[in-house]
């Protein structure tokens, strides 16, 4: 487990931030000098537009979830807002630290920037770069620390996808081409019940389901029903969406309802909660250093399309495990064949090639595939949650954030530019 022999605090730009930082440094006896710029965690009490994000209020926690002044607090304390299932850690696996923080520069919109420039420009709560078993840099903003659990949004989908692979390997699920209703009898005869696990994993179920993050679409309806205090079971909620717009496997359409079905499949097939299965099959074998949590609906079923929370370093461990084709901490945790199949680049013309072209964005088993000549993939969630993974170099980048726009923020493109620069530097070594 990582210790903290040296902790750096980046001094903010406001008098209040400077006072806080100076007080901290005087207590722990450290100075923010070049000699201390190793790869130890960097904690900042502030961040871009901190006043709007609730700095003066101590980054409060409370409804509504996405009120800007609540986002920092809510996205690092989701278990104080909704019921969750705990995912318990056991014996942490070792992560080393680079003796010196990686110096990184990247080009965006014609200008060169540093890693610190990125943090100064973007509402990032945590940023961790790692390769093999070594942390290259680790930064936190807005008073967040390495003990905070950060909200995954849709990054949780990839965790769900990897659990499906384990369940297939163990025989709890017999085939990726089985229908969902084979394991969830309550869905028998429904459109989603008559959809294969493969199509649900690849977002090619053909279900008619609107998802534009506007607050009045099918996705919003799904969320309201799952969190309501009605008598509807989770399968009853899923059954509300029962129109097929395209034959399975012919058309890609991103819809949160697909992994939600897979969460039920996991629960029924393994006879465990999704959180318990994650704990036993991944979290403990992986050697997570901290407990995680997963938000549950009013029936006690995990929200399989989102709402998982973990520390940044444990996200890094999960990513490094995938970068090593499912192996970590001396164990093959996720079957190698499953990781390879689920993250393999797709050819142009496939329904899974979201944007057609020489190296199209693609989609695997609940994971995004980057345009690249090799296997590079991304766990992605709205408002800037990203984990980039490169299998060739075993390089990962963990990024949690509180962006105001759900998608298509200019910062998303800047983050990709930063990742590509990190990848290029890794290739050069």
């Amino acid at each position: 487990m990582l210790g903290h022999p040296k902790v750096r605090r980046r001094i903010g730009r406001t008098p209040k931030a400077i006072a806080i930082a100076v007080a901290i440094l005087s207590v722990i006896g450290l100075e923010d000098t070049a000699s201390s710029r190793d790869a130890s965690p960097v904690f900042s009490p502030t961040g871009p537009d901190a006043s709007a994000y609730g700095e003066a209020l101590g980054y409060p926690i409370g409804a509504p979830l996405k009120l800007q002044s609540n986002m920092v607090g809510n996205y690092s304390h989701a278990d104080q807002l909704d019921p969750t299932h705990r995912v318990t850690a056991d014996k942490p696996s070792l992560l080393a630290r680079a003796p010196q923080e990686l110096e990184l520069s990247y080009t965006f919109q014609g200008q060169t920037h540093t890693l610190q420039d990125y943090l100064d420009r973007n509402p990032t709560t945590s940023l961790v770069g790692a390769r093999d078993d070594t942390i290259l840099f680790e930064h936190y903003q807005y008073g967040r620390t390495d003990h905070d659990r950060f909200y995954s949004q849709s990054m949780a989908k990839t965790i769900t996808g990897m659990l499906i692979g384990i369940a297939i390997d163990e025989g709890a699920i017999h085939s990726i081409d089985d229908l969902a209703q084979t394991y969830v009898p309550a869905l028998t005869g429904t459109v989603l019940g008559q959809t294969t696990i493969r199509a649900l994993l690849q977002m090619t179920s053909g279900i008619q389901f609107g998802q534009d993050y506007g607050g009045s679409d099918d996705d919003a309806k799904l969320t309201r029903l799952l969190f309501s205090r009605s008598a509807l079971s989770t399968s009853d909620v899923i059954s509300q969406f029962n129109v097929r717009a395209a034959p399975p496997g012919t058309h890609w359409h991103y819809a949160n309802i697909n992994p939600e079905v897979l969460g039920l499949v996991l629960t029924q097939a393994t006879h465990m909660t999704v959180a318990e299965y994650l704990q036993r099959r991944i979290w403990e074998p992986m050697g997570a250093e901290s407990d995680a949590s997963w938000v549950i609906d009013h029936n006690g079923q995990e929200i399989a399309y989102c709402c998982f929370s973990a520390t940044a370093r444990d996200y890094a461990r999960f990513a490094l495990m995938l970068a090593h084709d499912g192996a970590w901490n001396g164990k093959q945790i996720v079957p190698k064949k499953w990781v390879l199949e689920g993250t393999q680049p797709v050819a142009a013309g496939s329904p899974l090639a979201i944007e057609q072209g020489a190296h199209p964005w693609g989609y695997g088993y609940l994971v995004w595939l980057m345009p690249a000549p090799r296997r590079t993939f991304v766990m992605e969630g709205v408002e800037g949650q990203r984990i980039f993974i490169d299998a060739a170099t075993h390089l990962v980048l963990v990024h949690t954030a509180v962006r105001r726009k759900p998608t298509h923020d200019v910062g998303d493109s800047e983050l990709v530019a930063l990742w590509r620069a990190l990848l290029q530097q890794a290739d050069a070594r």
Side-chain angles (χ1 to χ4, degrees):
M1 181 176 179
L2 283 168
H4 303 281
K6 187 179 292 184
V7 179
R8 290 184 286 123
R9 301 268 173 172
R10 180 169 62 86
I11 298 177
R13 297 176 176 177
T14 66
K16 178 182 178 183
I18 292 173
I20 292 172
V22 169
I24 292 169
L25 292 171
S26 66
V27 169
I28 63 177
L30 295 177
E31 297 178 356
D32 191 20
T33 64
S35 64
S36 66
R37 293 195 67 84
D38 58 16
S40 294
V42 184
F43 304 101
S44 172
T46 189
D49 205 15
S51 59
Y53 281 106
E55 181 180 31
L57 301 173
Y59 304 111
I61 303 163
L65 175 70
K66 297 188 179 185
L67 180 68
Q68 186 175 8
S69 59
N70 293 351
M71 286 183 75
V72 170
N74 288 348
Y75 279 38
S76 53
H77 294 89
D79 55 356
Q80 295 185 33
L81 296 172
D82 294 299
T84 64
H85 281 158
R86 183 61 63 99
V87 181
T88 305
D90 188 15
K91 298 177 181 178
S93 57
L94 177 66
L95 287 176
R97 289 197 184 276
Q100 186 172 21
E101 180 176 287
L102 180 70
E103 293 186 9
L104 180 67
S105 64
Y106 64 97
T107 301
F108 182 66
Q109 295 181 339
Q111 295 186 350
T112 300
H113 303 283
T114 65
L115 187 67
Q116 189 58 58
D117 291 336
Y118 178 84
L119 293 164
D120 290 340
R121 290 156 56 91
N122 292 276
T124 302
T125 47
S126 73
L127 184 67
V128 179
R131 184 177 186 181
D132 286 318
D133 63 350
T134 302
I135 290 178
L136 306 176
F137 53 81
E138 182 175 358
H139 288 255
Y140 300 88
Q141 298 196 118
Y142 303 106
R144 304 305 91 181
T145 76
D146 49 351
H147 298 292
D148 285 308
R149 290 191 289 269
F150 297 98
Y151 203 48
S152 69
Q153 293 290 22
S154 288
M155 295 195 303
K157 290 181 173 68
T158 304
I159 298 174
T160 299
M162 294 304 148
L163 290 175
I164 290 287
I166 294 173
I168 290 174
D169 186 64
E170 292 181 338
I173 297 173
H174 303 301
S175 170
I176 192 175
D177 293 311
D178 283 348
L179 300 180
Q181 66 189 28
T182 303
Y183 303 94
V184 190
L187 294 179
T188 299
T190 66
V191 163
L192 287 163
Q194 295 175 328
T195 301
T196 65
I197 291 170
R198 183 189 302 274
L200 294 167
L201 285 165
Q202 295 178 330
M203 297 287 186
T204 59
S205 66
I207 190 70
Q208 182 173 298
F209 188 90
Q211 187 162 331
D212 60 15
Y213 308 105
S216 59
D217 55 9
D218 288 328
D219 183 50
K221 177 183 176 182
L222 172 65
T223 300
R224 285 194 299 269
L225 289 172
L226 290 173
F227 285 100
S228 70
R229 296 184 179 181
S230 71
L232 293 175
S233 67
T234 306
S235 57
D236 288 337
V237 171
I238 288 170
S239 298
Q240 303 294 306
F241 306 92
N242 201 37
V243 176
R244 181 96 67 187
T250 64
H251 179 70
W252 183 90
H253 174 63
Y254 191 85
N256 281 341
I257 193 73
N258 293 319
E260 190 62 16
V261 176
L262 292 173
L264 279 181
V265 170
L266 275 170
T267 299
Q268 298 284 336
T270 65
H271 307 290
M272 299 184 200
T273 67
V274 177
E276 184 181 7
Y277 198 59
L278 171 63
Q279 176 180 314
R280 294 189 182 185
R281 299 301 189 267
I282 294 180
W283 216 243
E284 290 178 347
M286 179 184 78
E289 67 180 85
S290 301
D291 292 355
S293 65
W294 206 323
V295 172
I296 57 175
D297 68 14
H298 68 276
N299 293 298
Q301 175 73 35
E302 289 80 359
I303 308 297
Y305 59 83
C306 82
C307 314
F308 178 76
S309 295
T311 65
R313 283 200 297 267
D314 281 337
Y315 278 131
R317 284 181 172 89
F318 184 83
L320 288 165
M321 180 261 294
L322 295 183
H324 287 82
D325 297 333
W328 186 254
N329 199 24
K331 308 175 184 73
Q332 188 69 44
I333 297 170
V334 180
K336 180 176 181 178
K337 180 181 177 182
W338 183 261
V339 177
L340 292 175
E341 288 178 357
T343 61
Q344 193 65 31
V346 297
S350 164
L352 301 178
I354 314 309
E355 295 177 2
Q356 303 302 316
H359 300 296
W361 274 99
Y363 203 76
Y365 293 165
L366 296 180
V367 67
W368 291 89
L369 310 176
M370 286 195 73
R374 65 193 193 205
R375 200 161 49 91
T376 304
F377 47 103
V378 189
M379 299 168 61
E380 183 172 317
V382 293
E383 287 108 24
Q385 322 318 315
R386 303 284 189 278
I387 299 178
F388 297 84
I389 303 163
D390 183 66
T393 60
H394 301 157
L395 184 72
V396 306
L397 179 66
V398 175
H399 180 272
T400 62
V402 285
R403 298 201 195 282
R404 297 288 290 122
K405 293 177 65 177
T407 59
H408 305 299
D409 189 281
V410 65
D412 295 339
S413 298
E414 186 170 1
L415 180 60
V416 170
L418 188 152
W419 164 250
R420 292 195 186 282
L422 181 61
L423 196 56
Q424 185 175 16
Q425 188 162 332
D427 282 339
R429 294 190 170 191

